Amino acid sequence: MNTRLLILSFIILFIHFSISAKIYKVENTIQYQEKVKLLLPGDTIMLANGVWKDAQLVFKANGEKDKYIFLEAETPGKVTLEGKSGLQISGKWLQVSGLVFINGNSPKGTVIDFRTNSRNYAYNCIVTNCVIDKFNLAAKDSSDHWIGLYGKNNTIEYCYFGGKTNLGTTLVVWPNDSNSINNHHLIYRNYFGPRPRLGSNGGETIRIGTSQVCTNSSASIVEGNYFEHCNGEVEIISNKSGDNIYSNNTFFECEGCLTLRHGNRATVCGNWFIGNDKENTGGVRVINEGHLIYNNYFYKLRGDNFRSGLTIMNAIPNSPANGYAPVKNVVIANNTYYDCAFPWAFGAGFGERDRTVTAQSTLLLNNLVYCTNTDEIIKHYDKTDGIILNNNILVNSKGISNETGCVPGEVKMTKVWGVDVPYTTVRAKKLPYVKYDLVGEVRGDAVIGALQNKDEKPAVVIATSINCGPQWYKPGSVETQQKTKKTGKITTLKPGTDNLYQAVKNAGDGDVLLLSEGEYVATKKIIVLKNITIKADSDKKPVLLLKTDRENGSLFEIGGNANLRIQGIAINGDSKAEFPAKYAFISSKDAAAGYSLIIDNCEIYDFNVLSGAIYKAYKGSVADSIVVTNSLFRDSYRGFSLGEEKDDIGKYSVENIKFDNTIFTHFAQYIIDYYRGGNDESTLGGSLNVNHCIFDQVGNDEKQTILKSTGIKNVAINNSVFNNSMAKTSVKLSGSKNAITNCDFNGCPKPKLEDGAKSVNILFLNPDFEKNSFKSSSKSGLSGKSLDGSNIGLR
């Protein structure tokens, strides 16, 4: 056949396909259900632009290799599936594009499911340029997944998934049976947007497999994706099956690690872990055997222990499926670590859960660690004779290490994609699979570290918020947030009844409500679901007051991802009223996830009813932070009640609490009850920071503890005064990350310490307060004795 005849044949064939392929535009779910049954290879079913409410779509059809069947939006991004919506896919050679899931949640437990039932899976199907954004169940502890991958050879590409706040993994691969093992799924160039801390296990962004099927091979590929602020738990990605590949992804300021949790023979190569000095940012955590970890770059990470740049875990003897199998036959080669606080952790987990089996036959070769900000590159938690170092360059604050397995060599700096990267020209020992470097350059005369040649143009483009996800949808990107951040409208209010209630209800995100001097009465609870500031318009504190005909009332309820800032305000609980307020603030019972409360220069008082409190967190809620500064709390029953998580599985109600330069006086019971029972290694374990505070006549019930922090991992109490209390215990600290420093206990029990908690410079002096003040006089023994040179107590 000559060339002209061949071209003519292709034209005739193209015309035939164009004529035979049909496009069905549908306006609603009834039309969709009618037309989807008619689809043949090459056909398209098009959803009309607009809101598709409660649309539960089933896309079940069979295309052909060169003739996909398409489900697409009329205009990408202009079709939103809202309310109780979802999509199920099964069959072959199908492609979905342009859909947006917002303002709702799926009733099926998965938003986009690559199966229509337990027998009908998807094969060779693609979901591209789609969005799932904040499509959450209301209750944090209610579980769902956004993407469920079954079948084989499916692709998720150029999608955006961000803002998941409830329990459940964002994207799950299920290699559970013969129809889904060795699946070769591709997860490519997706943008995984911010995920706030969940406060428990089950907040992974990607999970491939489960403990029960971890010996199955999945052979999935996660390549070229961008992960931004994925902070759900310690495992950003949880590998729980065999033969998976994680390559050329970017992890941007994520609190956690790519975790090889179960399963063998994973490959981790060409990834960028960019911490930018953010706390808790980590790299790769290693469990199981046969892994290859090479050509990765770890930049300014600040995580430690399980969140170190590299964590090699100890194992459990004869480990169960959900335990810790030994690290064996792992090669970690040609990686670069720069300015990481805790570059390598060996034997992590030792001493807990019977993890006593150390790594075996594990080789660290040709790695460059240039971390002059730390004295200790390797943290040894247990003996590490099974970990072999060979031909590495390790540089810490003391210089180049000459320990076994290390070599000398000059280290220089360059920039790649705008990021500082150290490099060296010291020769590496060649490995057959390390053919290219971090940016895809061929390794000729191979050198130590991830970067081969600083002068070559990168062959592999780093994954960013710009080149991942749909080009028409970037709400989660740092760049977009900076461009679209609203300062909010400023509204001035005069004293009155329920005008503050109405103003909060009508406020936009970021609005500021200025209150003039006087009394503001609320007859019903003020619900805060946005970022709102309520502040005085002068130095005189306006007074907020709840007057209701119901018992156990509360003034404010905070839900969702709200951020409530109260500044220069007085809040009166009015305990002598017929129906006094029980709480000044409460969390929402069903939707509190990642919210914040900031109290500055306020006076909150007279919440003095039985079991009442300044703040009450309900079970299932998790605040990101509670910050109290420069304030006075007085004459109340309890302070901050954060002890509802009694299931003892490691959950707690607030990630970070900070009290600074604040007075607490005349409380019947505790100032804080911050409870975490059990242990959950997926979480950070909570943080309490107290500095320059006064605790006066607190805990008049003798069975009380002034500051109760049960099971909280990180507690720092500094420069504070505990004065004249009948409480049985002032402070009880437990754990190596709990410490109390430069504090005075006058007429109070001394602090109790256990399990490595520390105390420094504990005093027992009369603070000698000035008259009608809680400031220590110049003659006080506390004057100038704080860590910063000011007084112990108030600044």
Side-chain angles (χ1 to χ4, degrees):
M1 184 181 291
N2 63 36
T3 301
R4 182 175 295 178
L5 187 59
L6 183 64
I7 293 172
L8 181 61
S9 298
F10 276 122
I11 292 172
I12 294 171
L13 190 63
F14 175 78
I15 293 172
H16 170 73
F17 282 162
S18 299
I19 294 173
S20 62
K22 295 182 179 179
I23 298 175
Y24 300 97
K25 182 180 178 181
V26 294
E27 304 281 345
N28 53 53
T29 54
I30 294 174
Q31 292 180 10
Y32 174 86
Q33 290 166 2
E34 291 174 352
K35 300 302 182 184
V36 76
K37 300 173 184 177
L38 308 178
L39 296 173
L40 297 173
D43 288 352
T44 297
I45 186 164
M46 179 185 292
L47 306 188
N49 289 346
V51 175
W52 287 61
K53 184 79 169 178
D54 299 330
Q56 299 178 39
L57 305 180
V58 176
F59 187 30
K60 184 176 182 180
N62 286 293
E64 297 174 0
K65 183 175 182 179
D66 297 317
K67 295 177 70 176
Y68 279 86
I69 298 175
F70 300 91
L71 166 60
E72 61 185 36
E74 179 183 0
T75 304
K78 300 298 184 181
V79 174
T80 61
L81 290 94
E82 305 184 21
K84 301 295 182 182
S85 293
L87 173 64
Q88 294 176 296
I89 305 166
S90 70
K92 300 177 181 178
W93 306 104
L94 309 176
Q95 179 168 310
V96 179
S97 64
L99 307 182
V100 178
F101 292 84
I102 56 171
N103 301 327
N105 54 74
S106 172
K108 299 285 188 179
T110 305
V111 181
I112 300 178
D113 211 1
F114 280 67
R115 65 174 183 172
T116 51
N117 55 45
S118 60
R119 298 180 302 279
N120 292 287
Y121 291 178
Y123 303 89
N124 301 104
C125 295
I126 300 172
V127 170
T128 183
N129 279 281
C130 289
V131 169
I132 307 177
D133 191 357
K134 303 182 182 70
F135 204 65
N136 294 309
L137 296 168
K140 181 185 72 71
D141 284 341
S142 296
S143 180
D144 69 350
H145 308 294
W146 280 2
I147 304 290
L149 273 167
Y150 296 83
K152 295 185 178 182
N153 301 308
N154 297 310
T155 298
I156 303 283
E157 64 176 17
Y158 293 100
C159 293
Y160 173 85
F161 309 114
K164 193 174 197 304
T165 57
N166 64 291
L167 187 67
T169 307
T170 304
L171 186 155
V172 185
V173 177
W174 300 94
N176 291 16
D177 56 32
S178 60
N179 294 314
S180 289
I181 61 174
N182 295 312
N183 53 66
H184 301 282
H185 296 316
L186 176 61
I187 302 165
Y188 180 74
R189 279 293 190 231
N190 300 288
Y191 184 159
F192 292 93
R195 177 160 193 184
R197 297 172 186 167
L198 181 66
S200 69
N201 192 16
E204 305 98 329
T205 295
I206 292 178
R207 192 183 76 231
I208 301 182
T210 64
S211 302
Q212 292 74 20
V213 298
C214 62
T215 58
N216 289 351
S217 174
S218 183
S220 294
I221 300 171
V222 180
E223 180 181 354
N225 301 279
Y226 182 71
F227 298 82
E228 177 183 276
H229 298 165
C230 294
N231 303 336
E233 60 149 277
V234 68
E235 298 178 14
I236 306 165
I237 294 178
S238 185
N239 182 85
K240 292 188 174 182
S241 53
D243 304 297
N244 299 309
I245 298 173
Y246 306 95
S247 65
N248 305 120
N249 303 287
T250 298
F251 298 86
F252 183 80
E253 297 179 2
C254 294
E255 294 182 352
C257 292
L258 193 168
T259 302
L260 306 179
R261 185 64 185 86
H262 299 298
N264 301 323
R265 303 175 303 279
T267 298
V268 180
C269 62
N271 300 286
W272 296 70
F273 296 85
I274 300 176
N276 285 340
D277 293 321
K278 301 292 184 182
E279 292 297 318
N280 309 308
T281 49
V284 177
R285 184 159 68 111
V286 184
I287 306 145
N288 280 75
E289 59 186 88
H291 308 308
L292 302 177
I293 302 166
Y294 60 92
N295 281 347
N296 301 286
Y297 184 46
F298 304 85
Y299 176 79
K300 291 183 176 291
L301 305 175
R302 288 294 174 263
D304 65 351
N305 203 341
F306 286 17
R307 290 174 165 84
S308 298
L310 169 68
T311 303
I312 298 176
M313 294 290 297
N314 263 17
I316 297 172
N318 303 310
S319 176
N322 65 343
Y324 283 81
V327 176
K328 292 182 183 178
N329 303 320
V330 171
V331 179
I332 301 157
N334 287 97
N335 302 286
T336 295
Y337 299 78
Y338 175 58
D339 198 15
C340 297
F342 299 90
W344 291 351
F346 294 171
F350 173 71
E352 298 181 27
R353 296 183 61 180
D354 195 31
R355 286 180 291 226
T356 58
V357 179
T358 58
Q360 306 166 37
S361 303
T362 296
L363 174 63
L364 278 82
L365 176 70
N366 301 334
N367 297 287
L368 172 58
V369 183
Y370 190 71
C371 298
T372 58
N373 60 323
T374 182
D375 294 338
E376 189 176 34
I377 284 178
I378 306 174
K379 173 69 174 177
H380 296 271
Y381 290 91
D382 195 6
K383 61 182 180 181
T384 55
D385 51 329
I387 300 175
I388 303 162
L389 272 64
N390 191 338
N391 204 50
N392 302 284
I393 296 178
L394 309 184
V395 185
N396 63 11
S397 59
K398 301 174 183 177
I400 298 176
S401 174
N402 59 2
E403 65 178 270
T404 303
C406 297
V407 297
E410 183 182 8
V411 178
K412 300 179 181 179
M413 297 296 300
T414 187
K415 282 188 180 291
V416 181
W417 301 115
V419 179
D420 293 325
V421 181
Y423 72 98
T424 182
T425 57
V426 178
R427 292 289 180 88
K429 297 185 177 180
K430 285 193 175 182
L431 292 169
Y433 45 83
V434 187
K435 298 177 181 178
Y436 305 93
D437 75 346
L438 173 69
V439 295
E441 291 303 318
V442 175
R443 286 188 180 270
D445 294 329
V447 300
I448 288 174
L451 190 64
Q452 175 68 20
N453 188 336
K454 76 178 184 70
D455 295 322
E456 292 292 332
K457 183 178 179 181
V460 175
V461 177
I462 186 174
T464 69
S465 62
I466 303 301
N467 57 32
C468 294
Q471 292 303 302
W472 41 265
Y473 199 91
K474 304 286 185 185
S477 74
V478 171
E479 296 93 333
T480 303
Q481 287 175 356
Q482 290 172 345
K483 291 177 182 178
T484 62
K485 188 176 180 180
K486 296 180 180 179
T487 57
K489 182 176 64 175
I490 298 175
T491 302
T492 300
L493 302 182
K494 299 297 183 183
T497 298
D498 285 333
N499 55 341
L500 179 59
Y501 168 88
Q502 198 63 44
V504 171
K505 184 177 179 180
N506 296 335
D509 197 45
D511 279 5
V512 177
L513 304 179
L514 286 179
L515 307 190
S516 300
E517 181 187 1
E519 189 172 77
Y520 294 78
V521 175
T523 65
K524 43 197 168 186
K525 180 171 54 185
I526 300 170
I527 298 176
V528 181
L529 298 174
K530 299 175 182 177
N531 299 324
I532 294 174
T533 297
I534 302 172
K535 62 187 295 186
D537 68 354
S538 70
D539 293 337
K540 295 182 179 180
K541 291 181 172 60
V543 179
L544 310 187
L545 181 66
L546 180 70
K547 289 186 178 180
T548 178
D549 58 359
R550 298 180 182 180
E551 294 183 351
N552 301 328
S554 54
L555 186 59
F556 289 100
E557 177 181 315
I558 313 171
N561 292 298
N563 184 330
L564 175 60
R565 178 185 292 270
I566 305 287
Q567 190 170 355
I569 303 294
I571 302 178
N572 182 2
D574 195 13
S575 63
K576 293 183 174 58
E578 182 179 1
F579 296 103
K582 190 171 186 179
Y583 309 112
F585 308 92
I586 62 172
S587 71
S588 172
K589 293 183 179 180
D590 61 357
Y595 64 94
S596 295
L597 172 63
I598 301 170
I599 301 170
D600 180 49
N601 188 31
C602 292
E603 182 175 356
I604 302 178
Y605 56 94
D606 206 16
F607 286 83
N608 204 13
V609 298
L610 188 65
S611 301
I614 302 297
Y615 178 89
K616 169 76 171 179
Y618 285 101
K619 182 179 172 64
S621 67
V622 179
D624 178 77
S625 56
I626 295 175
V627 178
V628 178
T629 55
N630 309 312
S631 296
L632 169 63
F633 295 81
R634 61 177 176 83
D635 302 306
S636 295
Y637 192 75
R638 293 171 176 165
F640 292 75
S641 182
L642 312 168
E644 288 285 299
E645 295 290 352
K646 296 294 188 183
D647 293 339
D648 290 350
I649 54 175
K651 293 185 178 182
Y652 47 96
S653 296
V654 186
E655 280 290 353
N656 301 291
I657 302 174
K658 180 181 179 181
F659 296 156
D660 185 77
N661 204 52
T662 293
I663 302 161
F664 301 87
T665 182
H666 289 90
F667 278 73
Q669 294 194 351
Y670 52 77
I671 294 302
I672 189 168
D673 179 13
Y674 190 11
Y675 184 84
R676 176 179 183 253
N679 185 40
D680 184 346
E681 294 172 333
S682 298
T683 68
L684 293 168
S687 174
L688 171 63
N689 188 298
V690 177
N691 196 25
H692 286 289
C693 289
I694 303 289
F695 302 93
D696 174 70
Q697 299 185 63
V698 173
N700 291 324
D701 181 335
E702 295 180 2
K703 297 179 181 179
Q704 292 300 305
T705 299
I706 297 173
L707 298 180
K708 299 170 69 175
S709 57
T710 308
I712 302 303
K713 281 284 188 181
N714 306 284
V715 179
I717 303 172
N718 302 315
N719 307 315
S720 296
V721 175
F722 295 78
N723 188 57
N724 290 337
S725 174
M726 297 175 64
K728 182 178 180 180
T729 306
S730 56
V731 177
K732 182 178 179 180
L733 302 180
S734 179
S736 60
K737 293 186 177 181
N738 282 213
I740 183 166
T741 304
N742 283 38
C743 288
D744 182 46
F745 291 82
N746 177 57
C748 296
K750 67 180 182 180
K752 293 183 178 180
L753 309 174
E754 61 184 24
D755 294 334
K758 302 175 183 66
S759 67
V760 178
N761 194 28
I762 303 302
L763 306 174
F764 300 91
L765 301 175
N766 186 331
D768 194 13
F769 294 134
E770 295 176 356
K771 188 176 181 180
N772 299 322
S773 169
F774 283 97
K775 283 197 171 185
S776 298
S777 71
S778 59
K779 298 178 181 179
S780 170
L782 307 182
S783 180
K785 295 296 181 64
S786 77
L787 294 174
D788 56 15
S790 62
N791 293 350
I792 291 177
L794 297 183
R795 289 188 181 88

